[in-house]
Amino acid sequence: MNTAVLQSGFLYSARVRLIRQTEVSECGLACLAMIAGFYGRSIDLATMRRRFTPSLRGAPLSSLIKIADQIGLSPRAVKLPLEQIPNLALPAILHWDMNHYVVAEKVSAGKVLIHDPAGRSEWLQTSEVSGHFTGVALELRPNETFEKKSERETLRWSQLWSRITGLAGAFVQVLVLSLVLQVYVLALPYYLQIGIDTALPALDHDLLSVLALGFGLFTVFNAAASFLRSFVILAAGSALGFGIAANIARKLFRLPLEWFQKREVGDILSRFQSVTPIQKLLSEGIAATLVDGVLALTTLVIMFFYSAKLALVAITAFFLYFVVRLVSFSLERRAQEGSIIAHGKEQTALIETIRGIQTFRLYNRESMRHSMWQTLLTDAVNANIRVARVGIWQSTANALIFGLENIVTIWLAIGFVMDGGFSVGMVFAYLAYKGQFLEKTGNLVDQATAFFMLRLHLERLSDIALEPDDRSFGSTENSMTKLKGSIELKNLSYRYSPTDPLVFSDVGLRIGVGEHIAITGPSGSGKTTLLKLMIGLLEPMSGDVLIDGMSLDQFGHKSFHNQIAAVLQDDNLFAGSIADNIALFDEQPDRDAIIAAARAAAIHDEIMATPMQYETLVGDMGSSLSGGQKQRVLLARALYRKPKMLFLDEGTSHMDVANEARVNASVKTLGITRIVVAHRLETVASADRVLYLDQNGLVSVETEHVFSDGGER
């Protein structure tokens, strides 16, 4: 579908369909998808992402060249000055702001049409482009392997309300009650006609009273139907909204960790909130649309019964209004999408600022951060203004079209009365029916627009609903298999994305039951990544992790996770009491086990010294505790599980020497397998075996060699 872009008050057709990036580093993929679509290969970003996993570190031009070749586009990288952009084979990808990519589609009158996957499509003056363009561009043309086809995967409606019961019955009830209400709407103008044409000229008070009584009872019946319909819609809408939200949340909580790491929290929240307009339209809009359609057709027949000429005037007005909404739909959709994304970015900045207020306070950066957030808020407000502008154009066209239609209708109708073809009561009745017709057909157009606008929300929810689950939910589960505690790594290799260099390759390691292993090495060598691969939180590029001689997939991720525990660098405490956090909000916490775990983590005495002891609230993300206390509570949480294997990633780095020694001695008595990533001498020295990881691989070393010069080797 062509998009429309505003240039100096005029609409210019754009053949490139803007695709907005979802992950923070996938602007290059979005640009390639846009140009592929321009040449006839419609491919969505989710499909691109699954085939060519982006790296959080961004994609160099060389990566885009490789990906372009794989989707049938011949790339040509060029370096050129700004004034040579018109000579590019457009559309082309421009390197933007040193860390971003955009698509330039056309150049006209000193302006360039830019499609920004992180923003919107707009015409920029050459001087504006100069402030962003780095001088590097990528031309793309279809080669002999290019295929015109659609590779778009969309979310089906049925996937949203699976496992929700009772919706069909509620929908039928709403439909029947809505039809009852419309009977009243159809009958009311006829009451007006009879009163004016029959009762008024004859001064027949009895007839007028009977009419009033009959329609009064009809009104009471109508009010009761409206009351029941509102409650049915409330119940059905609540059930539908809860069901859809529960289904999406269930899917969200099952996604791989990498999915969350590559997205901003505000964007995730805004996607999840797309449930609300879908729920509202499905619970109220569909029944209303069907009823409005029936009523519009019925009133149209009645209008033709009164006068075909007057009915054609109303139909012409409706057709013009329909054309206005059709022409403006593309602009409306783009404006709505831009507004959602802008608000997501603003919310992300606000959440990050609140979370990091201590850092901004320390470095006196509150004003800077406020200014940055205010800029994003301005973008969000401007996005709302663009939505409102489209609405203003639509409402103005609506007022003009139907205002002129009303004038023409009254002129013709009164002329009919003068000619003797119409009575005064018929004029009033026709105007009432005409008003109902235009109102209902207008509602039909609005509901149809809203329905097609839901594709925007479905596309946003698709990023959650269509992503594959974390592999731990698909592996074979052997719940009866008991973990002994040995682990082996066979030729393990890992890279963050297909375009990134290897973090490490062909790592081999065997750890026996009850063995205490310390892994050390320079920062950035991949120690934390290696630990997460052992735990099963990340998936290796190649190689395997064996648990008690079985592959992790065969042993079962869930089974394995139920029998191990870990304290990782980015672990958090949650709002609640210390006991809640140690038991991780267990539905039936074992108080004795909580205290025993706290004793083993050397935190019991400090907890008992507080006024509320184990019911002491930890604050948001553990803000009421010191770094060492927080780390020991996290360790207590791990020990509460009575694990067969314990993984620690700098799990004692914030503790003082005395507490660290107490913790090491306490954990040693458990006799379980322990794998520790550490830099501190005290932690490394307590291990049975020390392994050193660097660019050369994983090797076994002596402790004194690691710290021979007073620090790491």
Side-chain angles (χ1 to χ4, degrees):
M1 179 177 64
N2 287 354
T3 61
V5 182
L6 197 63
Q7 178 187 4
S8 304
F10 298 96
L11 289 177
Y12 279 69
S13 175
R15 293 179 59 196
V16 172
R17 177 181 178 270
L18 176 65
I19 296 178
R20 287 189 167 92
Q21 66 191 85
T22 299
E23 299 179 1
V24 293
S25 59
E26 63 182 10
C27 54
L29 288 183
C31 290
L32 288 172
M34 281 189 254
I35 294 181
F38 175 84
Y39 289 115
R41 185 169 184 172
S42 179
I43 182 168
D44 61 3
L45 197 51
T47 302
M48 290 286 286
R49 190 186 306 121
R50 283 189 286 272
R51 288 183 58 187
F52 313 104
T53 306
S55 168
L56 270 175
R57 305 180 182 188
L61 198 63
S62 57
S63 298
L64 295 191
I65 290 173
K66 293 178 183 177
I67 296 171
D69 184 65
Q70 292 183 55
I71 61 175
L73 294 173
S74 294
R76 176 175 173 264
V78 295
K79 189 170 181 61
L80 73 165
L82 177 65
E83 57 272 13
Q84 293 297 320
I85 288 182
N87 297 328
L88 281 173
L90 299 176
I93 297 176
L94 304 185
H95 192 226
W96 205 251
D97 291 334
M98 302 302 295
N99 62 356
H100 190 50
Y101 296 106
V102 300
V103 172
E105 180 180 354
K106 61 178 69 172
V107 179
S108 176
K111 294 183 179 181
V112 184
L113 178 53
I114 297 294
H115 302 281
D116 185 354
R120 60 194 181 97
S121 300
E122 58 183 333
W123 287 89
L124 296 181
Q125 296 283 353
T126 305
S127 57
E128 295 178 88
V129 175
S130 177
H132 301 280
F133 180 48
T134 64
V136 176
L138 183 65
E139 294 181 331
L140 297 159
R141 281 286 184 265
N143 59 31
E144 65 280 359
T145 65
F146 185 84
E147 296 180 60
K148 292 185 177 182
K149 59 182 179 179
S150 177
E151 297 179 86
R152 301 178 62 82
E153 187 177 2
T154 57
L155 181 65
R156 298 190 306 273
W157 293 104
S158 58
Q159 293 174 266
L160 293 176
W161 57 67
S162 59
R163 294 184 294 275
I164 304 176
T165 59
L167 292 181
F171 176 77
V172 172
Q173 293 177 40
V174 171
L175 188 60
V176 171
L177 291 170
S178 298
L179 288 172
V180 171
L181 294 177
Q182 302 314 318
V183 171
Y184 173 78
V185 172
L186 286 172
L188 197 58
Y190 192 63
Y191 165 59
L192 182 65
Q193 180 181 340
I194 295 174
I196 293 175
D197 285 347
T198 304
L200 182 60
L203 301 178
D204 190 340
H205 290 281
D206 292 337
L207 176 60
L208 187 61
S209 298
V210 170
L211 288 172
L213 180 61
F215 277 94
L217 292 173
F218 201 177
T219 301
V220 172
F221 184 69
N222 179 75
S226 178
F227 177 81
L228 292 174
R229 178 177 178 269
S230 297
F231 270 94
V232 172
I233 288 177
L234 177 63
S238 299
L240 183 63
F242 177 83
I244 293 176
N247 286 342
I248 295 297
R250 179 178 181 274
K251 180 66 177 180
L252 178 66
F253 297 160
R254 295 164 67 95
L255 294 178
L257 290 181
E258 295 96 324
W259 188 92
F260 295 93
Q261 294 168 352
K262 294 175 180 179
R263 286 160 177 79
E264 298 173 334
V265 63
D267 181 68
I268 296 175
L269 291 175
S270 72
R271 289 177 186 279
F272 191 79
Q273 290 162 0
S274 287
V275 166
T276 302
I278 292 175
Q279 172 261 325
K280 184 176 181 181
L281 183 65
L282 293 180
S283 61
E284 302 177 31
I286 293 180
T289 300
L290 291 174
V291 172
D292 285 343
V294 172
L295 185 63
L297 288 174
T298 305
T299 52
L300 183 60
V301 171
I302 296 173
M303 288 164 59
F304 269 99
F305 175 78
Y306 277 85
S307 170
K309 186 180 292 185
L310 291 176
L312 288 173
V313 172
I315 291 174
T316 301
F318 163 70
F319 178 75
L320 292 175
Y321 176 67
F322 175 76
V323 170
V324 168
R325 292 303 300 269
L326 188 64
V327 170
S328 63
F329 175 77
S330 179
L331 285 175
E332 184 178 0
R333 188 186 190 282
R334 294 288 170 182
Q336 289 279 9
E337 185 179 15
S339 177
I340 292 171
I341 292 174
H343 280 281
K345 291 181 178 180
E346 178 266 327
Q347 286 294 300
T348 295
L350 185 60
I351 292 169
E352 288 181 344
T353 302
I354 293 171
R355 289 289 186 205
I357 192 64
Q358 176 177 287
T359 302
F360 297 121
R361 181 66 45 79
L362 175 63
Y363 290 98
N364 293 326
R365 289 292 188 271
E366 301 95 336
S367 297
M368 177 275 296
R369 192 67 180 181
H370 177 263
S371 177
M372 186 273 284
W373 170 81
Q374 196 166 257
T375 299
L376 293 175
L377 179 63
T378 300
D379 292 340
V381 170
N382 288 337
N384 287 343
I385 291 174
R386 286 190 288 272
V387 174
R389 282 176 180 168
V390 176
I392 290 171
W393 278 106
Q394 291 175 349
S395 61
T396 301
N398 178 55
L400 178 62
I401 291 170
F402 292 118
L404 292 175
E405 179 275 334
N406 205 37
I407 291 172
V408 172
T409 298
I410 293 173
W411 172 65
L412 289 174
I414 293 177
F416 292 161
V417 174
M418 292 178 177
D419 294 338
F422 251 41
S423 67
V424 174
M426 290 176 68
V427 172
F428 279 100
Y430 175 82
L431 290 177
Y433 282 123
K434 187 262 297 183
Q436 290 174 13
F437 169 75
L438 293 179
E439 178 189 353
K440 299 308 178 184
T441 51
N443 289 343
L444 276 175
V445 173
D446 293 340
Q447 291 291 348
T449 302
F451 183 80
F452 285 110
M453 197 67 71
L454 284 189
R455 297 305 308 173
L456 167 62
H457 296 288
L458 279 178
E459 287 175 7
R460 293 182 62 76
L461 284 176
S462 294
D463 187 49
I464 298 174
L466 297 182
E467 285 293 314
D469 290 347
D470 184 84
R471 67 174 185 151
S472 64
F473 292 95
S475 59
T476 304
E477 295 300 330
N478 295 319
S479 56
M480 299 302 294
T481 303
K482 297 298 182 183
L483 177 64
K484 297 175 183 177
S486 71
I487 186 170
E488 182 180 357
L489 309 182
K490 297 185 68 175
N491 305 116
L492 210 62
S493 300
Y494 184 80
R495 67 173 88 220
Y496 296 111
S497 80
T499 59
D500 278 334
L502 286 167
V503 179
F504 46 75
S505 63
D506 296 325
V507 169
L509 173 64
R510 185 190 298 271
I511 301 172
V513 177
E515 195 173 3
H516 181 188
I517 299 297
I519 301 175
T520 189
S523 297
S525 59
K527 300 184 298 297
T528 295
T529 299
L530 182 62
L531 196 71
K532 288 183 177 180
L533 287 166
M534 292 185 191
I535 298 172
L537 294 179
L538 297 178
E539 185 173 357
M541 184 194 76
S542 62
D544 203 359
V545 177
L546 303 181
I547 307 299
D548 292 341
M550 302 169 59
S551 71
L552 185 52
D553 286 332
Q554 184 182 3
F555 191 94
H557 286 73
K558 295 300 180 186
S559 177
F560 181 57
H561 291 164
N562 281 334
Q563 300 177 74
I564 67 167
V567 178
L568 305 178
Q569 290 186 41
D570 48 3
D571 278 350
N572 289 308
L573 298 177
F574 305 100
S577 67
I578 291 176
D580 289 335
N581 275 276
I582 292 177
L584 200 55
F585 301 91
D586 196 339
E587 293 180 358
Q588 295 180 328
D590 184 336
R591 189 75 176 185
D592 293 336
I594 290 174
I595 294 173
R599 289 184 185 277
I603 190 66
H604 172 74
D605 293 341
E606 292 172 50
I607 294 174
M608 296 302 293
T610 61
M612 296 181 65
Q613 299 178 355
Y614 280 88
E615 298 308 315
T616 299
L617 300 178
V618 302
D620 182 49
M621 308 295 283
S623 58
S624 66
L625 303 177
S626 70
Q629 288 174 328
K630 177 181 175 181
Q631 205 163 52
R632 280 177 284 156
V633 171
L634 290 171
L635 180 60
R637 174 198 292 173
L639 297 177
Y640 174 81
R641 296 171 61 87
K642 298 182 175 62
K644 301 292 181 61
M645 298 181 71
L646 180 63
F647 297 83
L648 301 177
D649 188 4
E650 301 290 352
T652 59
S653 59
H654 295 297
M655 299 181 195
D656 57 82
V657 175
N659 274 322
E660 183 179 14
R662 291 170 58 195
V663 166
N664 286 335
S666 179
V667 173
K668 186 175 183 179
T669 63
L670 300 177
I672 62 176
T673 305
R674 286 162 289 155
I675 301 171
V676 179
V677 169
H679 291 94
R680 292 174 59 168
L681 173 61
E682 293 80 7
T683 303
V684 174
S686 65
D688 301 330
R689 189 154 47 111
V690 180
L691 302 169
Y692 191 86
L693 180 65
D694 60 11
Q695 68 273 14
N696 297 317
L698 186 67
V699 295
S700 181
V701 295
E702 298 295 331
T703 305
E704 57 269 21
H705 292 164
V706 179
F707 296 94
S708 58
D709 58 353
E712 282 187 356
R713 187 179 67 180

